[in-house]
């Protein structure tokens, strides 16, 4: 065929129109009335099974584009596996507990957790979840999603909760359940703890700063015991965590220096290989402005016995502010001394 020639298509007065809003409900009704999903499973019974374990949505409102994207893509996967010859059942489900449901119900009631009766609120939350489960089920069907919609799993049913308890019991028997502590994110607006999966981080640039943490103590300097004003010089890229400081951390294998700043009559402790970068490049000092009075390993720097002072007041009440050592501390940047704020992260907490 010569594609360079113009092809004259027949003229028609009828416009091209899919008219899907009117036609799609008829298709969905046909599928449901004739049990197409059930027939699809029946003819493949005994074949190799393909099961999509689908994380359930919260039953807390009408569907949005996120639901559509999630469920339509999963439906394509399940249907394609069925068309490839697999036995591919799909069991839908709903998460009927949690903050998203409680938050939506609070908005509907126009109340907060301080103005509701907790037992009555739980009953209302269950009714709220079941109402929107039914609404979402209808809307998922309208999207053409195949599944066992008459027998979904709901996290509030006794059988489901019983299953959780049975699994918990087995884990407990295997000594996999233990009690401990960990920092959790707290939402000041909703007044509740947040799961890690619920926290979304934005990119943020902050000024990295050096801070002096004072520790007055007797220390051997040049074979003479002197009571000197010594400061731990810390470096942090998260300055907003400083008021929550409860500890300092050094690397026990690296070499540190106690440096006397002549103009200030102060002694600073920081990583030896970062001296020039911090004192000369950052502060503009010269080699005549300071002298190294002692070098020692990080593991030998634990003389403060918790007696350093936090320069931000006692916002956090702790019995003592401790100095730790760990190989986690880097020698590539900073001062070789990291401040620890366990309320701001699990690594610091540990």
């Amino acid at each position: 065929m010569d594609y360079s020639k113009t092809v004259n298509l027949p003229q028609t007065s009828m416009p091209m129109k899919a008219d899907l809003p009117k036609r799609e409900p008829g298709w969905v009704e046909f599928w449901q009335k004739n049990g197409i999903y059930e027939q699809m499973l029946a003819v493949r019974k005994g074949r190799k099974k393909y099961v999509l374990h689908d994380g359930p949505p919260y039953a807390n409102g009408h569907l949005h584009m996120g639901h559509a994207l999630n469920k339509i893509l999963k439906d394509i996967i399940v249907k394609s596996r069925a068309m490839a010859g697999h036995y591919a059942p799909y069991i839908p489900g709903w998460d009927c507990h949690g903050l998203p449901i409680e938050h939506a119900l609070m908005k509907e009631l126009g109340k907060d957790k301080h103005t509701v009766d907790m037992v009555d609120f739980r009953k209302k939350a269950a009714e709220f979840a079941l109402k929107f489960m039914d609404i979402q089920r209808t809307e998922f069907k309208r999207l053409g999603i195949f599944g066992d919609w008459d027998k979904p799993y709901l996290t509030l049913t006794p059988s489901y909760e019983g299953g959780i308890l049975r699994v918990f019991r087995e884990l407990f028997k295997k000594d996999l359940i233990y009690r401990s502590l960990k920092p959790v994110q707290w939402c000041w607006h909703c007044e509740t703890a947040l799961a890690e999966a619920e926290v979304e981080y934005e990119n943020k640039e902050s000024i990295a700063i050096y801070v002096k943490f004072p520790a007055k103590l007797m220390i051997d300097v040049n074979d003479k015991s002197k009571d000197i004003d010594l400061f731990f010089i810390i470096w942090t890229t998260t300055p907003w965590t400083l008021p929550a400081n409860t500890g300092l951390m050094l690397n026990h294998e690296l070499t540190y220096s106690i440096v006397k700043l002549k103009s200030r009559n102060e002694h600073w402790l920081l990583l030896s290989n970062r001296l020039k970068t911090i004192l000369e490049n950052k502060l503009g000092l010269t080699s005549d402005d300071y002298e190294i009075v002692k070098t020692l390993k990080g593991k030998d720097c634990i003389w403060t016995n918790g007696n350093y002072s936090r320069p931000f007041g006692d916002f956090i009440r702790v019995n003592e502010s401790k100095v730790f050592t760990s190989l986690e501390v880097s020698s590539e940047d900073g001062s070789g001394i990291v401040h620890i704020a366990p309320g701001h992260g699990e690594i610091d907490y540990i």
Side-chain angles (χ1 to χ4, degrees), residues 286-305:
T286 68
S287 57
D288 295 328
D289 296 324
Y290 63 91
E291 63 174 309
I292 299 172
V293 297
K294 191 177 182 68
T295 58
L296 63 170
K297 290 284 189 180
K299 60 187 176 184
D300 299 320
C301 295
I302 314 298
W303 353 260
T304 64
N305 195 26

Side-chain angles (χ1 to χ4, degrees), residues 64-347:
H64 50 67
M65 287 302 295
H67 291 106
L69 177 66
N70 182 294
K71 279 292 188 290
I72 290 172
L73 290 177
K74 289 175 178 176
D75 184 60
I76 290 172
I77 293 170
V78 174
K79 284 175 177 168
S80 68
R81 293 297 90 199
M83 294 171 70
H86 291 79
Y87 179 73
Y90 172 63
I91 310 297
W94 277 270
D95 190 339
C96 304
H97 301 97
L99 177 63
I101 292 170
E102 295 173 8
H103 189 61
L105 178 57
M106 289 289 190
K107 289 176 63 177
E108 184 177 279
L109 296 175
K111 296 185 177 183
D112 59 38
K113 71 176 188 178
H114 303 291
T115 57
V116 296
D117 176 79
M118 295 310 296
V119 175
D120 181 61
F121 181 74
R122 290 190 188 107
K123 292 178 180 177
K124 283 186 170 63
E127 294 168 359
F128 183 86
L130 290 173
K131 179 182 78 170
F132 275 105
M133 180 279 295
D134 200 40
I135 290 172
Q136 289 187 5
R137 173 166 55 188
T138 301
E139 293 172 340
F140 279 132
K141 288 180 181 179
R142 174 61 183 84
L143 292 176
I145 311 298
F146 278 3
D148 195 348
W149 295 109
D150 294 330
K151 299 175 185 176
Y153 70 89
L154 308 175
T155 61
L156 56 64
T157 58
S159 61
Y160 191 95
E161 292 177 337
I164 292 174
L165 291 173
R166 284 189 292 273
V167 171
F168 183 87
R169 181 179 61 192
E170 293 303 313
L171 294 172
F172 183 78
K173 287 179 179 178
K174 296 176 181 179
D175 292 328
L176 296 174
I177 305 296
Y178 61 93
R179 175 176 289 179
S180 186
L181 299 171
K182 65 174 288 186
V184 296
Q185 300 285 353
W186 176 264
C187 176
W188 62 269
H189 180 265
C190 302
E191 296 184 303
T192 185
L194 298 175
E196 291 180 9
E198 293 176 298
V199 179
E200 296 182 5
Y201 293 93
E202 293 184 3
N203 291 326
K204 184 181 187 304
E205 290 188 10
S206 296
I207 298 173
I209 63 174
Y210 295 88
V211 185
K212 297 191 301 182
F213 279 71
K216 192 167 185 176
L217 69 159
M218 291 290 291
I219 187 169
D220 180 39
V221 178
N222 294 336
D223 299 322
K224 295 180 181 180
S225 292
K226 293 183 179 181
D227 190 9
I228 65 172
D229 286 324
L230 179 70
F231 294 89
F232 292 96
I233 306 301
I234 71 99
W235 178 74
T236 179
T237 58
T238 56
W240 65 88
T241 65
L242 284 167
N245 170 270
T246 61
L248 301 178
M249 188 162 66
L250 297 76
N251 189 314
H252 54 272
E253 291 299 328
L254 297 179
T255 301
Y256 290 78
S257 295
I258 295 177
V259 181
K260 182 178 181 180
L261 277 70
K262 299 175 182 177
S263 61
R264 302 182 183 217
N265 196 27
E266 293 177 353
H267 291 78
W268 289 7
L269 177 73
L270 62 165
L271 199 61
S272 297
N273 71 348
R274 298 287 297 167
L275 279 179
K276 186 173 182 179
T277 298
I278 296 173
L279 299 180
E280 299 183 22
N281 298 351
K282 297 289 184 183
L283 296 182
L285 303 180
T286 68
S287 57
D288 295 328
D289 296 324
Y290 63 91
E291 63 174 309
I292 299 172
V293 297
K294 191 177 182 68
T295 58
L296 63 170
K297 290 284 189 180
K299 60 187 176 184
D300 299 320
C301 295
I302 314 298
W303 353 260
T304 64
N305 195 26
N307 292 326
Y308 80 84
S309 302
R310 297 192 309 281
F312 309 100
D314 287 327
F315 294 110
I316 294 187
R317 294 183 180 180
V318 292
N319 293 329
E320 56 183 12
S321 303
K322 294 186 177 180
V323 180
F324 303 88
T325 60
S326 169
L327 290 174
E328 296 287 329
V329 179
S330 171
S331 62
E332 300 298 319
D333 44 29
S335 64
I337 306 176
V338 177
H339 104 91
I340 299 172
H344 285 279
E346 192 164 5
I347 295 176

Side-chain angles (χ1 to χ4, degrees), residues 46-67:
R47 301 270 189 92
K48 185 177 180 180
K49 184 181 286 189
Y50 179 88
V51 177
L52 175 71
H53 294 282
D54 185 15
Y58 280 112
N60 68 328
H62 288 273
L63 300 188
H64 50 67
M65 287 302 295
H67 291 106

